[in-house]
Amino acid sequence: MAQRYWLMKTDPDEFSIDDLKKRPNQTEPWDGVRNYQARNFMRDDMRIGDPVLLYHSGKNPAVVATARVAARGYPDPTAWNPASKHFDPRSAPDKTVWCMVDIRLEKEFLRPILLADLRKIPMLKGMTLLRKGNRLSVMPVTGREYHTIVKMAEKNK
DNA sequence: GCCAACGTTGGC
DNA sequence: GCCAACGTTGGC
């Protein structure tokens, strides 16, 4: 299969790039995703080494870094932990409903690339992220989209 | 803080 | 199987 590229959202109040930086190997299991489409991408399509754009939602929404898939899809144990806010009683260790991948930080952007700025780039007009009402937290991006955004970040010195 | 858009649930 | 009601996401 051709190289795949991804964009993954996180609410920085929950888990931000600064949290990711502090993790061992700057790697984190991407737990807590509770959307079937996003789960299917992680379970079925993401491969180790796939490039990922890391996105902060909320205030000043922006792409903040590049990252890599560091582990293929595997069961998300928070789903059967009653103490977790992402607990789902339908899930169990022997009956997985939810999956996650590991994400390793690659390079933090010197300056975040704001969503508002992405909207100004004609090349990015078709991006899933920019679609009205988009709520997916894990989504594919094209290679052209990925490289366009990385170049914007490199220029932003 | 508001609200549009979306996904899920549950009654029928 | 339909669809109204509800809860959540997330931009503004």
Side-chain angles (χ1 to χ4, degrees), chain A residues 4-40:
Chain A
R4 294 264 231 161
Y5 299 82
W6 306 96
L7 183 143
M8 300 180 85
K9 291 183 191 172
T10 181
D11 176 353
D13 291 338
E14 297 283 328
F15 184 85
S16 74
I17 183 174
D18 290 326
D19 298 314
L20 182 57
K21 276 196 267 188
K22 292 177 204 150
R23 293 296 196 264
N25 300 319
Q26 304 191 323
T27 301
E28 174 74 359
W30 216 254
D31 61 26
V33 174
R34 296 294 178 266
N35 170 282
Y36 289 107
Q37 210 181 341
R39 178 205 65 182
N40 293 348

Side-chain angles (χ1 to χ4, degrees), chain A residues 1 17 19 33 41 46 48 74 80 88 110 112 115-116 118 130 146 149 153:
Chain A
M1 193 193 288
I17 183 174
D19 298 314
V33 174
F41 285 135
M46 296 178 92
I48 289 178
Y74 63 103
W80 58 79
D88 181 346
L110 295 173
L115 177 64
L118 296 181
L130 304 184
Y146 180 91
I149 292 170

Side-chain angles (χ1 to χ4, degrees), chain A residues 68-151:
Chain A
R68 296 276 179 167
V69 176
R72 289 275 303 269
Y74 63 103
D76 177 351
T78 66
W80 58 79
N81 175 6
S84 169
K85 65 180 290 192
H86 304 296
F87 176 61
D88 181 346
R90 294 170 301 172
S91 205
D94 59 343
K95 194 165 82 57
T96 294
V97 178
W98 301 111
C99 283
M100 60 186 183
V101 295
D102 287 358
I103 292 300
R104 184 180 63 245
L105 179 65
E106 184 170 55
K107 192 162 186 290
E108 181 177 17
F109 291 169
L110 295 173
R111 228 176 291 169
I113 305 299
L114 292 168
L115 177 64
D117 291 330
L118 296 181
R119 291 194 190 283
K120 295 174 193 162
I121 311 296
M123 164 75 57
L124 302 178
K125 206 159 178 275
M127 259 189 105
T128 305
L129 178 72
L130 304 184
R131 260 200 341 239
K132 187 172 181 173
N134 166 57
R135 287 168 54 183
L136 258 189
S137 63
V138 178
M139 70 191 82
V141 301
T142 68
R144 296 187 80 185
E145 291 164 351
Y146 180 91
H147 292 298
T148 298
I149 292 170
V150 168
K151 282 203 186 102

